[in-house]
Amino acid sequence: MAEPISVSEALNKAKAVLETVPTLTVIGEVTSFRGPTNRGHCYFQIKDGLCSMNVVVWASIYRSLPIPLEDGLEIVVRGKFSIYPNRGSFDFIVSQVALRGDGLLRQKVRLLKAKLDAEGLTSPSHKRRVPVFCERVAVVTSLTGSVIEDVKRTLADRNPLVAIDVFGTMVQGVDAPGCIVDALEKAAASKPDAILLVRGGGSYEDLMTFNDERVARAIAACLVPVVTGIGHEPDVTIADDVADRRELTPTAAAASVAPSIGQLTDKIDERDGRLCRAMNLIFERASVHQEEQAYNLDRAIDKFLATIEAQINSWAAKPVLVAPQGLVQVQKSQVDVLSHSFEVAAQAYFHKTRESVSRQATELDRSSVNLVSQFEVPCSSLATRLQLVEKTLFVGYEAFLRQAQASLDALSPERVLERGYAIVQDTQGHVIEDPMMALPGTAINVQMARGHIGAQVVSVMPSKEDPSEEE
């Protein structure tokens, strides 16, 4: 038995042997993907139908990849095996990574799908309702091949009343996405009830035209509902996700917008029967209701007429209608009695009032004589005193008023103007007190005792004794 060695020595020996293996190129499917880590490294496994192995992709390699890695991708890696002694792991250290087959295409499609999902273009709320029965259908597809003939035949068999407009386009190749976008715009401009975007089956690469972002956005922005039938049942493209309805095949897409004549006839017959039954039920209910209303109306009329008849009979039994002359005679007798009573009462009231008025007039004459004689002497005395007071009361005030009048006359500007003075004013009526306030050329008004003079200042000469000049 050989001398035992430590774990470190064993791993280092294995590492030395393993590193002698040359650089390998390995193909496999990504699984158990972890990364990128905080440092940007990625750890996963690649497997085939039998085995799997650990793979490490450093951050510098991963950053150079055109798309991120994920489980399910088929990739080709180039690198060497190595063992990390500190943890005893057996890893394949990658120096190059490439996607194999349609893996790159599928990854691009998944990224575009996630982008459109985030924008809501694939959401059910974004989809428009496709009419159940379309009178005009626009078909966007290749004019070569059997698809367009299948669509025409399906529409003609199911319902020949549906009008078809065909807009030819490329469905494969580099220029196909732009061609499809143009065809969709032309189809929408013709204002059909729906647009069929269809093509036959093909490989994943053949259907990549319908995974193009331009085509997806053109479908989402189309003003007319779009129904897709692309490839066969397993094939699902981004155009299908964005479309308002996705059918499994072009034939199914055509059938979905054109219910068959037989279906329409059956539907019409069914609704006709339902309508007839409903109308019969309505008529039956209306007839019963009408009979009830007629019976109630007859009873109401009879009751109303009986009431009117009783009321008329009651009125006919009253004295005013039976013997109207008797009522008039009674009222006339009452009026005569009241008239005689009023005449007697009026004469008595007149005699009584005349005597009272005569008596009050005699008493008023007697009272007025007494009042005059009672106040005549005091009034004469007060009048004499008032005349004496009047003579003495205004003597002092008359002298004061005459003196005040003389002072006002002496101070009146009119008396000053009569002595030859004048008042100089501007055109606004303001007095000009200082010559410097009137500039040469200014219009002035000179007020004198007997009138006004309009003038214009020629020159201004301040007084020699003006204190401002001395300073």
Side-chain angles (χ1 to χ4, degrees), residues 257-469:
V257 298
S260 67
I261 291 293
Q263 291 177 343
L264 292 176
T265 303
D266 294 341
K267 197 69 174 178
I268 292 173
D269 292 340
E270 177 191 354
R271 295 191 175 184
D272 179 65
R274 291 170 56 188
L275 180 61
C276 290
R277 290 192 297 272
M279 292 300 296
N280 290 334
L281 181 60
I282 292 173
F283 288 146
E284 290 176 2
R285 292 177 179 176
S287 177
V288 173
H289 182 68
Q290 183 178 4
E291 291 178 358
E292 293 177 354
Q293 293 294 327
Y295 175 73
N296 294 333
L297 181 60
D298 290 340
R299 292 184 60 187
I301 292 175
D302 292 341
K303 185 177 180 180
F304 176 75
L305 293 177
T307 302
I308 296 298
E309 183 179 4
Q311 190 172 11
I312 292 174
N313 293 334
S314 174
W315 290 344
K318 291 184 178 181
V320 69
L321 296 178
V322 176
Q325 297 84 359
L327 292 176
V328 173
Q329 189 63 36
V330 172
Q331 295 295 327
K332 182 178 180 182
S333 300
Q334 292 179 357
V335 170
D336 292 340
V337 173
L338 291 174
S339 176
H340 177 71
S341 300
F342 178 74
E343 183 178 357
V344 172
Q347 291 178 357
Y349 178 76
F350 175 73
H351 291 301
K352 183 179 180 180
T353 302
R354 184 174 60 180
E355 292 176 357
S356 176
V357 170
S358 298
R359 185 170 58 255
Q360 291 177 3
T362 303
E363 294 178 357
L364 182 60
D365 291 338
R366 189 182 305 113
S367 299
S368 62
V369 173
N370 293 335
L371 287 174
V372 171
S373 61
Q374 181 179 354
F375 290 101
E376 183 177 6
V377 175
C379 287
S380 299
S381 176
L382 289 175
T384 303
R385 292 175 60 189
L386 183 60
Q387 291 175 356
L388 294 176
V389 171
E390 179 183 4
K391 294 179 180 180
T392 60
L393 183 62
F394 295 104
V395 172
Y397 289 105
E398 290 178 354
F400 175 75
L401 288 175
R402 283 193 296 272
Q403 183 180 359
Q405 183 178 6
S407 299
L408 288 174
D409 289 339
L411 296 175
S412 174
E414 295 179 353
R415 298 293 179 267
V416 175
L417 294 177
E418 289 176 353
R419 294 199 296 271
Y421 292 96
I423 299 174
V424 181
Q425 299 173 326
D426 58 15
T427 56
Q428 303 297 326
H430 301 133
V431 176
I432 300 176
E433 299 176 352
D434 187 350
M436 301 307 295
M437 294 175 61
L439 300 177
T442 303
I444 59 175
N445 182 26
V446 182
Q447 180 179 356
M448 305 180 70
R450 293 182 178 84
H452 299 266
I453 297 176
Q456 187 175 15
V457 178
V458 176
S459 62
V460 178
M461 293 177 290
S463 174
K464 296 181 179 181
E465 298 180 358
D466 190 347
S468 61
E469 293 184 356

Side-chain angles (χ1 to χ4, degrees), residues 149-307:
E149 297 302 327
D150 291 342
V151 170
K152 289 181 178 180
R153 183 170 54 255
T154 300
L155 292 174
D157 292 343
R158 291 182 65 84
N159 195 327
L161 300 178
V162 178
I164 305 173
D165 295 328
V166 179
F167 296 85
T169 178
M170 298 174 60
V171 294
Q172 186 174 334
V174 177
D175 298 329
C179 188
I180 292 175
V181 171
D182 293 339
L184 286 174
E185 292 178 353
K186 293 177 181 178
S190 67
K191 298 181 179 180
D193 296 318
I195 297 175
L196 298 182
L197 178 60
V198 295
R199 72 149 285 165
S203 66
Y204 193 83
E205 289 80 2
D206 294 338
L207 300 180
M208 281 302 296
T209 297
F210 296 90
N211 289 319
D212 190 277
E213 183 174 0
R214 291 170 292 173
V215 174
R217 294 193 180 278
I219 294 173
C222 188
L223 300 177
V224 179
V226 178
V227 179
T228 57
I230 300 170
H232 300 298
E233 181 175 349
D235 300 322
V236 180
T237 65
I238 290 180
D240 293 319
D241 295 328
V242 178
D244 300 291
R245 181 196 292 164
R246 182 240 172 183
E247 297 295 339
L248 300 180
T249 63
T251 302
S256 70
V257 298
S260 67
I261 291 293
Q263 291 177 343
L264 292 176
T265 303
D266 294 341
K267 197 69 174 178
I268 292 173
D269 292 340
E270 177 191 354
R271 295 191 175 184
D272 179 65
R274 291 170 56 188
L275 180 61
C276 290
R277 290 192 297 272
M279 292 300 296
N280 290 334
L281 181 60
I282 292 173
F283 288 146
E284 290 176 2
R285 292 177 179 176
S287 177
V288 173
H289 182 68
Q290 183 178 4
E291 291 178 358
E292 293 177 354
Q293 293 294 327
Y295 175 73
N296 294 333
L297 181 60
D298 290 340
R299 292 184 60 187
I301 292 175
D302 292 341
K303 185 177 180 180
F304 176 75
L305 293 177
T307 302

Side-chain angles (χ1 to χ4, degrees), residues 56-73:
V56 178
V57 178
W58 301 127
S60 58
I61 303 298
Y62 187 73
R63 285 195 297 268
S64 64
L65 297 180
I67 60 173
L69 298 178
E70 63 178 18
D71 290 347
L73 289 181

